[in-house]
């Protein structure tokens, strides 16, 4: 009988695993189930698939997960049954098996199905059965006898994005995206409060949410499709970590993916149980996970922090009022309390209004996309000008040599208070925001 082995997890919580009683290959085949006490190890030895139990669960609960196999700190990157753990039972343990229909099936000791995949394949009479392979990328893949992929764990997110994984912002004709969901706590893999993903209404911006409440928001997508190289320093003496980030729109889906060099340290993006989206890198020198970047990176960038018509100035990391506006409550503003935002110095009258161009801005939330695939900035301006309730607009050409599919543009208009705006400087993710002001020269 396998014994228990205690590991310290990233936030100090203990997680218990069954001590493996045998060495495993990189695959699972029909008729040879996986029991607690055994693991599937990827061919290069980077990842392991097996059962683990948080030590603070009473009674103990077992989860099926994937973790790094080649670092000393247990770090789980994927969990199958996070909503439905299996109770531990030494005499009747859970099993993971590959069915004749090419589905992975996790069952408790009594045979009750706890979790299963949704692969669709008919029973095959082939002498080469389906198999589930744990790849050295951390991806668990179910393949048919002819080698085609039926299901993969990379399509079913938990809280982590690994190199090579697609984080889909928009998928298929219905436009549905997927979200990362944090752990509930440092030793509790059940779904937590925080999530990360695309705005389901527009697919043009990314959020971290606390339940339904936004924590932080990206700029609306300007159509950039690039491979960007980002350098991060592990520490003062460590080598730079280079992350190659891509945003891809192939007409069917829009997704983000990233890669690192083959000799790079272990690296992952994770949405934490405390509500941050972090890039973490394993330090072989100090044997800890180092945080290379976090989002939000400062209080000023939290959603709506500067209030209506206020904006976060990235350069000085504080709130300011948009041109033509002043603090709603000067005393509170001077004390660093910005939530009341700003008010107009001069009211609009529609006839004599004009638009002031503010380049290098993160456009506000609450926009409406109008004039489907509108082709010119002049048409976008006219759309806002003719509507007296329109307080701002922003235009972007989504092709600009960076996107396939022809000349596609984006016209955003605002008819309510401008919330969650920032001055971020000229770049791929910035807009020129045209702000409606009284007696402003167009």
């Amino acid at each position: 009988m396998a014994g228990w082995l205690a590991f310290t997890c990233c936030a100090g919580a203990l997680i218990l695993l069954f001590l493996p009683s045998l060495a495993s290959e990189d695959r699972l085949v029909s008729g040879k189930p996986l029991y607690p006490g055994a693991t599937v190890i990827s061919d290069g030895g980077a990842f392991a698939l097996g059962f683990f139990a948080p030590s603070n669960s009473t009674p103990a609960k077992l989860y099926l997960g994937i973790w790094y196999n080649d670092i000393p700190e247990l770090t789980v990157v994927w969990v199958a049954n996070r909503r439905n753990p299996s109770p531990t039972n030494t005499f009747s343990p859970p099993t993971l098996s590959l069915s004749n229909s090419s589905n992975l099936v996790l069952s408790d000791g009594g045979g009750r199905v706890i979790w299963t995949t949704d692969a669709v394949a008919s029973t095959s009479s082939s002498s080469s059965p389906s198999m589930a392979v744990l790849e050295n990328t951390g991806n668990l893949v179910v393949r048919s006898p002819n080698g085609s992929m039926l299901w993969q764990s990379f399509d079913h997110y938990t809280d982590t994005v690994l190199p090579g994984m697609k984080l889909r912002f928009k998928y298929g004709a219905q436009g549905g995206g997927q979200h990362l969901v944090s752990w509930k706590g440092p030793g509790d893999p059940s779904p937590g409060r925080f999530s990360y993903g695309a705005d389901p209404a527009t697919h043009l911006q990314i959020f971290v949410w606390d339940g339904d409440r936004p924590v932080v928001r990206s700029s609306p997508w300007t159509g950039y499709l690039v491979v960007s190289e980002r350098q991060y320093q592990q520490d003062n003496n460590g080598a730079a970590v280079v992350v190659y980030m891509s945003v891809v729109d192939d007409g069917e889906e829009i997704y983000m993916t990233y890669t690192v060099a083959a000799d790079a340290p272990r690296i992952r993006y994770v949405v934490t149980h405390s509500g941050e989206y972090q890039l973490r890198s394993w330090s072989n020198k100090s044997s800890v996970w180092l945080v290379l970047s976090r989002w939000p990176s400062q209080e000023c960038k939290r959603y709506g922090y500067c209030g209506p018509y206020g904006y976060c100035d990235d350069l000085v990391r504080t709130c300011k009022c948009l041109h033509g506006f002043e603090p709603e409550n000067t005393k509170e503003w001077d004390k660093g309390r910005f939530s009341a935002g700003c008010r107009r110095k001069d009211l609009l009258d529609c006839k004599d209004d004009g638009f002031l161009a503010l380049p290098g801005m993160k456009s506000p939330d609450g926009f409406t996309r109008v004039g489907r695939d509108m082709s010119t900035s002049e048409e976008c301006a006219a759309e806002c000008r003719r509507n007296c309730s329109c307080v701002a607009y922003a235009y972007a050409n989504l092709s600009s040599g960076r996107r396939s599919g022809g000349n596609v543009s984006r016209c955003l208009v605002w008819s309510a208070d401008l919330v969650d705006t920032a001055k971020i400087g000229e770049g791929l993710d910035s807009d020129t925001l045209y702000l409606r002001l009284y007696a402003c020269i167009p």
Side-chain angles (χ1 to χ4, degrees):
M1 185 66 63
W4 288 102
L5 183 64
F7 283 83
T8 301
C9 194
C10 50
L14 284 177
I15 289 186
L16 301 177
L17 282 80
F18 275 107
L19 185 66
S21 59
L22 51 91
S24 298
E25 298 179 351
D26 66 343
R27 62 198 60 198
L28 192 69
V29 296
S30 181
K32 294 184 178 181
L34 182 73
Y35 293 92
T39 52
V40 173
I41 308 296
S42 63
D43 187 48
F47 291 92
L49 168 72
F51 293 90
F52 69 96
S55 63
N56 59 359
S57 59
T58 305
K61 300 173 182 177
L62 274 177
Y63 294 89
L64 176 72
I66 297 171
W67 59 85
Y68 290 100
N69 185 58
D70 57 358
I71 62 175
E73 181 180 296
L74 177 72
T75 305
V76 179
V77 299
W78 183 80
V79 184
N81 58 320
R82 59 191 312 203
R83 293 184 180 274
N84 192 18
S86 171
T88 55
N89 189 326
T90 305
F91 301 101
S92 185
T95 60
L96 176 69
S97 59
L98 185 64
S99 71
N100 290 333
S101 61
S102 300
N103 278 297
L104 289 169
V105 180
L106 176 62
S107 306
D108 65 14
R112 179 178 65 94
V113 175
I114 299 171
W115 170 86
T116 183
T117 60
D118 53 4
V120 179
S122 59
T123 303
S124 174
S125 59
S126 170
S127 59
S128 300
S130 300
M131 62 182 66
V133 179
L134 180 60
E135 298 181 342
N136 211 46
T137 58
N139 191 17
L140 179 62
V141 181
V142 178
R143 296 194 181 278
S144 68
N146 65 11
S148 62
M149 184 173 64
L150 302 174
W151 180 93
Q152 61 175 345
S153 61
F154 271 15
D155 286 339
H156 301 270
Y157 311 149
T158 53
D159 68 331
T160 298
V161 184
L162 295 172
M165 191 172 169
K166 291 181 180 180
L167 183 56
R168 290 182 174 89
F169 301 142
K170 180 181 179 182
Y171 182 73
Q174 301 301 316
Q178 295 168 289
H179 294 166
L180 303 177
V181 179
S182 70
W183 283 30
K184 196 169 186 178
D188 186 351
S190 59
R193 292 166 43 187
F194 298 97
S195 60
Y196 172 92
D199 174 9
T202 69
H203 319 295
L204 289 175
Q205 49 193 0
I206 309 302
F207 283 86
V208 171
W209 286 277
D210 180 357
D212 295 329
R213 183 179 66 84
V215 174
V216 63
R217 178 189 66 96
S218 73
S219 301
W221 186 52
T222 58
Y224 59 86
L225 299 175
V226 296
V227 177
S228 60
E229 179 180 312
R230 302 181 184 179
Q231 278 200 14
Y232 302 90
Q233 200 73 25
Q234 274 201 336
D235 51 45
N236 292 334
N237 300 316
V241 177
V242 181
V243 177
Y244 301 93
M245 186 78 65
S246 301
V247 179
V248 179
D249 179 2
D250 62 8
E252 180 66 20
E253 60 184 2
I254 301 172
Y255 63 88
M256 180 275 289
T257 188
Y258 74 100
T259 59
V260 294
D263 59 349
R266 295 297 176 202
I267 197 164
R268 64 196 176 105
Y269 281 96
V270 60
V271 57
T272 70
H273 63 86
S274 58
E276 290 186 343
Y277 185 60
Q278 296 182 352
L279 175 62
R280 296 180 177 179
S281 175
W282 178 255
S283 170
N284 291 317
K285 179 181 177 182
S286 53
S287 292
V288 295
W289 284 101
L290 301 175
V291 178
L292 303 184
S293 70
R294 51 170 36 95
W295 190 53
S297 58
Q298 51 185 279
E299 280 297 303
C300 187
K301 292 190 175 182
R302 290 189 172 274
Y303 185 89
Y305 183 80
C306 297
Y309 297 105
Y311 70 95
C312 175
D313 189 322
D314 268 13
L315 185 61
V316 294
R317 299 191 174 193
T318 192
C319 294
K320 296 181 179 180
C321 290
L322 290 169
H323 185 89
F325 291 77
E326 60 188 5
E328 181 72 42
N329 187 322
T330 303
K331 289 184 179 179
E332 290 293 297
W333 191 273
D334 291 342
K335 292 177 182 178
R337 301 173 187 146
F338 306 110
S339 59
C342 306
R343 64 188 176 199
R344 287 187 183 274
K345 295 178 180 178
D346 298 298
L347 297 179
L348 302 175
D349 75 351
C350 198
K351 294 187 301 179
D352 297 319
D353 299 339
F355 291 88
L356 177 68
L358 302 175
M361 300 296 291
K362 168 189 169 182
S363 285
D365 194 18
F367 56 81
T368 300
R369 185 173 180 176
V370 299
R372 185 174 180 82
D373 294 346
M374 190 171 293
S375 59
T376 69
S377 59
E378 290 78 12
E379 289 174 309
C380 187
E383 180 71 24
C384 189
R385 193 185 305 278
R386 71 169 63 100
N387 184 353
C388 291
S389 65
C390 181
V391 296
Y393 73 91
Y395 171 85
N397 187 331
L398 301 189
S399 53
S400 299
R402 299 166 296 187
R403 183 185 191 276
S404 60
N407 184 26
V408 179
S409 60
R410 185 211 68 188
C411 177
L412 307 181
V413 298
W414 287 264
S415 298
D417 290 348
L418 302 183
V419 177
D420 198 45
T421 312
K423 179 74 172 178
I424 58 178
E426 296 284 354
L428 288 173
D429 56 349
S430 69
D431 273 318
T432 295
L433 182 68
Y434 293 88
L435 180 65
R436 192 172 205 143
L437 296 173
Y438 173 70
C440 178
I441 298 175

